[in-house]
């Protein structure tokens, strides 16, 4: 009886390790610089635009480009007010996202 329990524990530990090795991590990446108070963020499959203090003095329309790995890239157009703070757009790629760029 003791050997069956021991073997079961080893199989369970190996299965947990295999799942841990194949599960994707979801650490955040972002554009290296802010553009007029906003920039893009992306994770494993999702991206979004974020502003800390949007400068819309000349243009109100923001373009957010989502670079999906195995799909056609997507662009969204959003109107923001001056000084906007927070997340304003999001897109989910099916497999992987390579990056998110924000510009006017």
């Amino acid at each position: 009886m003791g050997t069956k329990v021991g073997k079961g524990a080893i199989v369970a530990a190996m299965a947990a390790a295999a799942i841990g090795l194949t599960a994707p991590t979801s650490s955040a990446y972002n554009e290296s610089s802010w553009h007029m108070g906003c920039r893009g963020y992306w994770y494993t499959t999702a991206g979004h635009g974020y502003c800390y203090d949007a400068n819309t003095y000349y243009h109100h329309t923001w373009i957010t480009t989502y670079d999906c790995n195995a799909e056609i890239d997507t662009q969204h157009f959003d109107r923001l007010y001056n000084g906007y703070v927070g997340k304003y757009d999001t897109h989910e790629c099916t497999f992987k996202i390579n990056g998110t760029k924000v510009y006017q």
Side-chain angles (χ1 to χ4, degrees):
M1 179 78 169
T3 38
K4 287 186 180 182
V5 173
K7 287 181 183 179
I10 290 172
V11 169
M14 291 174 69
I19 291 170
L21 291 174
T22 59
T25 57
S26 61
S27 52
Y29 299 95
N30 59 17
E31 285 186 78
S32 59
S33 62
W34 294 88
H35 176 76
M36 305 292 283
C38 300
R39 69 177 169 187
Y41 281 86
W42 64 96
Y43 300 87
T44 305
T45 59
H48 68 267
Y50 180 83
C51 299
Y52 75 91
D53 186 13
N55 181 348
T56 60
Y57 184 71
Y58 296 109
H59 303 285
H60 295 283
T61 302
W62 288 84
I63 303 166
T64 310
T65 303
Y66 300 97
D67 178 14
C68 294
N69 195 36
E71 302 163 55
I72 297 173
D73 295 347
T74 303
Q75 281 189 337
H76 295 172
F77 299 88
D78 299 285
R79 291 184 60 82
L80 302 176
Y81 59 87
N82 201 40
Y84 179 83
V85 174
K87 183 165 69 169
Y88 68 88
D89 198 302
T90 188
H91 180 73
E92 182 81 28
C93 297
T94 304
F95 300 105
K96 181 180 184 262
I97 190 166
N98 299 319
T100 301
K101 181 145 181 71
V102 172
Y103 53 97
Q104 289 181 316

